[in-house]
Amino acid sequence: MKKILVIIFINCFLYNCYSQEKVNDIIYFLPSNVSNILIKEIKDNDNNYLILDKEDSDTYIIYLDNSIENFWVKHTNRSVFFNGKLIPLYFVYDEYFSFAEEGKDVLKKLGTEDGIRKVSYTRDNVFNVKFKLNGEIVK
């Protein structure tokens, strides 16, 4: 009986540790007009990712990129659902207000002479869709 209680206790302990490590994903669903346009442009590779920006109070721009390895793509828990696939998503503001380094590394460098890496990207030749919150495409 004592062994059974110890096994139950250990299982409960391990289960609690496992549940704390789980990262919750945020899955976005874009308006169907926007999704249909993006689906036509998505290449059949695993490097596609999306960047969401806000132009004004009700106008958004979503960029489709697959060109470079990106820090925020690797560290985002956001994705957009397209045709049964999840495509990573991050916000332009992630680039503006954060550093392209692990949080623990940034905290170690604060107050030292070590530089913290700041990165910004130019999206001049990147496919994008400008749309209103109701799904209306803005040209």
Side-chain angles (χ1 to χ4, degrees):
M1 180 69 175
K2 194 174 187 180
K3 288 182 181 182
I4 293 174
L5 289 175
V6 170
I7 291 172
I8 291 173
F9 176 75
I10 291 172
N11 283 337
C12 290
F13 178 75
L14 292 174
Y15 178 75
N16 285 336
C17 291
Y18 173 75
S19 66
Q20 291 174 357
E21 293 176 9
K22 185 176 180 182
V23 176
N24 292 326
D25 292 333
I26 303 170
I27 299 175
Y28 290 81
F29 296 87
L30 297 174
S32 61
N33 293 345
V34 178
S35 293
N36 291 338
I37 291 171
L38 289 171
I39 286 169
K40 293 176 186 175
E41 293 296 321
I42 290 177
K43 308 287 185 260
D44 283 336
N45 64 34
D46 293 331
N47 298 331
N48 293 305
Y49 59 90
L50 299 165
I51 305 105
L52 184 63
D53 195 3
K54 189 170 186 178
E55 186 173 78
D56 58 38
S57 64
D58 67 338
T59 305
Y60 296 86
I61 303 172
I62 193 151
Y63 299 94
L64 172 64
D65 203 345
N66 62 5
S67 59
I68 56 174
E69 196 168 305
N70 188 304
F71 173 84
W72 291 280
V73 173
K74 289 181 183 177
H75 292 87
T76 188
N77 66 337
R78 299 179 195 109
S79 56
V80 176
F81 184 81
F82 285 118
N83 285 346
K85 289 177 37 176
L86 293 174
I87 308 233
L89 168 77
Y90 71 90
F91 300 144
V92 165
Y93 303 106
D94 294 338
E95 295 173 6
Y96 296 158
F97 298 110
S98 67
F99 296 100
E101 295 186 37
E102 297 278 342
K104 63 182 180 198
D105 295 335
V106 171
L107 293 175
K108 285 179 189 176
K109 292 179 180 180
L110 290 176
T112 68
E113 293 182 13
D114 293 338
I116 301 172
R117 187 170 56 147
K118 188 75 171 163
V119 176
S120 63
Y121 297 101
T122 305
R123 294 186 179 83
D124 292 337
N125 298 319
V126 176
F127 182 80
N128 66 75
V129 179
K130 191 182 293 189
F131 64 98
K132 301 277 186 186
L133 192 56
N134 65 4
E136 174 190 349
I137 305 299
V138 179
K139 295 286 177 179

